[in-house]
Amino acid sequence: MKKIAWPPMPGRRLLAIVPPFAWLSLWLLVPFLLVLKISFADLRFGVPPYTPLAELHDEVLTIALSLRGYILLFTDSLYLATYLNSVKMAAITTACCMVIGYPMAYYIARSNASVRSILLLGVILPFWTSLLLRVYAWVGILRNDGLLNNFLLWLGVIDSPMEIYRTDLAVYIGLVYAYLPFFILPLYANLVKLDVRLLEAAYDLGARPWRAFVSITLPLSMPGVIAGAMLVFIPTVGEYVIPEMLGGANTLMMGRVMWNEFFNNADWPMAAAVTCVMVMLLLVPLVLFQYAQVRQFEAQRGGAR
């Protein structure tokens, strides 16, 4: 029987690294470069609705880069307000998911194995239904003649319907509902691996439950908290469906702006510039997360030595 000749260690690393990097380059980097190219074009009527960056006429190569979209982004107060509002709504949504999701993830991680599977199923179950249908269900709940107002009127809690639908509050409710599982699942994966003996040792040394939580559980769960926060914050900034269906005309978010520029105004260069700046903006939390991960890895290696 012949033995399989495995490549040396550097070759194995290349085999493990090259396929995912090639996949990311094909489906993420190449489309982003195309959008970046369109962002430096100028608007025109035709197909495609933007000018080429380079043209060859009579053996003369002409390169034209238009900065109209980027200049308008940083001079028009509407776009600046939209960026700030998108970041604000994403940050508040992330904070709400932390407050709601941490106790849920902690309870699931500390439950019995039989009950834990059922609780996890309850967290994952909404993914089995289309996001569009779930958000549309919230329209029926939050509108003035919807389920929530009718129930509160029947109880006598309110005298007139509350104005929730088509407000920022409705958008926050929809965002937290849609992205809460994205925070719970990575945090649960971190908490379920926590060594319970550390807490038992803290209790034996006289620490109260809240002290053991603050000193042991919370610091050890921070990687899960950061990972969950990134999974909530990053897609929320560019969310389109929820603000469009639950928000009002004054609900400014980048997803709606990009949709309007691409499809309503047919201004592809402006929409591409908005997209590129948003991607650059989202790179900041990703870099901070990577920096925190490297620091934690180095600290663990130093402690192991």
Side-chain angles (χ1 to χ4, degrees):
M1 183 175 180
K2 294 182 179 180
K3 293 183 178 180
I4 300 176
W6 291 99
M9 186 61 68
R12 296 182 195 177
R13 291 178 180 175
L14 285 177
L15 289 175
I17 293 175
V18 169
F21 269 90
W23 180 266
L24 291 176
S25 299
L26 179 62
W27 299 110
L28 292 178
L29 182 60
V30 173
F32 175 74
L33 292 178
L34 293 175
V35 174
L36 182 64
K37 166 182 164 277
I38 296 174
S39 70
F40 287 106
D42 202 0
L43 177 65
R44 75 171 183 183
F45 294 99
V47 180
Y50 55 88
T51 58
L53 298 185
E55 288 184 310
L56 182 63
H57 291 293
D58 299 330
E59 299 181 356
V60 176
L61 180 63
T62 304
I63 299 176
L65 299 179
S66 175
L67 300 178
R68 178 186 66 91
Y70 293 99
I71 293 174
L72 190 60
L73 273 179
F74 294 103
T75 55
D76 193 331
S77 59
L78 175 64
Y79 292 104
L80 294 175
T82 303
Y83 274 112
L84 293 177
N85 192 64
S86 297
V87 173
K88 182 196 75 172
M89 297 191 76
I92 294 176
T93 301
T94 305
C96 292
C97 287
M98 287 182 179
V99 173
I100 301 173
Y102 199 105
M104 294 177 65
Y106 186 86
Y107 181 79
I108 296 173
R110 293 293 170 266
S111 300
N112 296 328
S114 57
V115 181
R116 189 184 304 161
S117 302
I118 300 175
L119 295 176
L120 278 177
L121 180 63
V123 175
I124 301 173
L125 196 60
F127 290 113
W128 295 3
T129 308
S130 170
L131 174 64
L132 188 63
L133 294 177
R134 288 185 280 136
V135 177
Y136 194 75
W138 277 105
V139 174
I141 295 174
L142 298 178
R143 61 192 307 171
N144 291 352
D145 57 346
L147 180 63
L148 178 62
N149 277 310
N150 287 332
F151 180 68
L152 294 178
L153 288 171
W154 178 73
L155 290 178
V157 178
I158 57 176
D159 298 326
S160 60
M162 297 185 297
E163 296 288 341
I164 301 178
Y165 181 53
R166 293 298 182 188
T167 64
D168 287 351
L169 178 59
V171 177
Y172 284 125
I173 293 173
L175 290 173
V176 172
Y177 164 76
Y179 289 99
L180 184 60
F182 291 94
F183 181 82
I184 293 176
L185 293 177
L187 180 57
Y188 159 78
N190 180 273
L191 289 173
V192 77
K193 296 184 296 184
L194 182 66
D195 193 352
V196 184
R197 293 176 299 178
L198 297 174
L199 297 176
E200 294 175 352
Y203 297 150
D204 291 339
L205 293 174
R208 298 193 177 188
W210 67 268
R211 182 66 178 176
F213 173 80
V214 173
S215 301
I216 299 175
T217 305
L218 187 59
L220 293 178
S221 65
M222 285 309 297
V225 172
I226 296 175
M230 293 297 102
L231 289 176
V232 173
F233 180 84
I234 291 174
T236 303
V237 173
E239 178 62 43
Y240 167 74
V241 174
I242 297 174
E244 180 67 21
M245 295 186 66
L246 297 180
N250 296 326
T251 304
L252 300 175
M253 291 196 72
M254 295 314 304
R256 299 182 73 179
V257 172
M258 285 187 288
W259 175 274
N260 291 333
E261 294 293 350
F262 266 119
F263 299 102
N264 294 343
N265 301 334
D267 192 347
W268 286 29
M270 188 67 214
V274 172
T275 304
C276 291
V277 173
M278 188 186 71
V279 171
M280 296 301 176
L281 181 68
L282 295 179
L283 284 178
V284 175
L286 287 176
V287 171
L288 293 177
F289 175 68
Q290 181 66 24
Y291 176 75
Q293 291 290 94
V294 171
R295 288 285 301 272
Q296 182 188 10
F297 178 72
E298 292 177 349
Q300 290 177 351
R301 289 186 61 184
R305 292 176 182 174

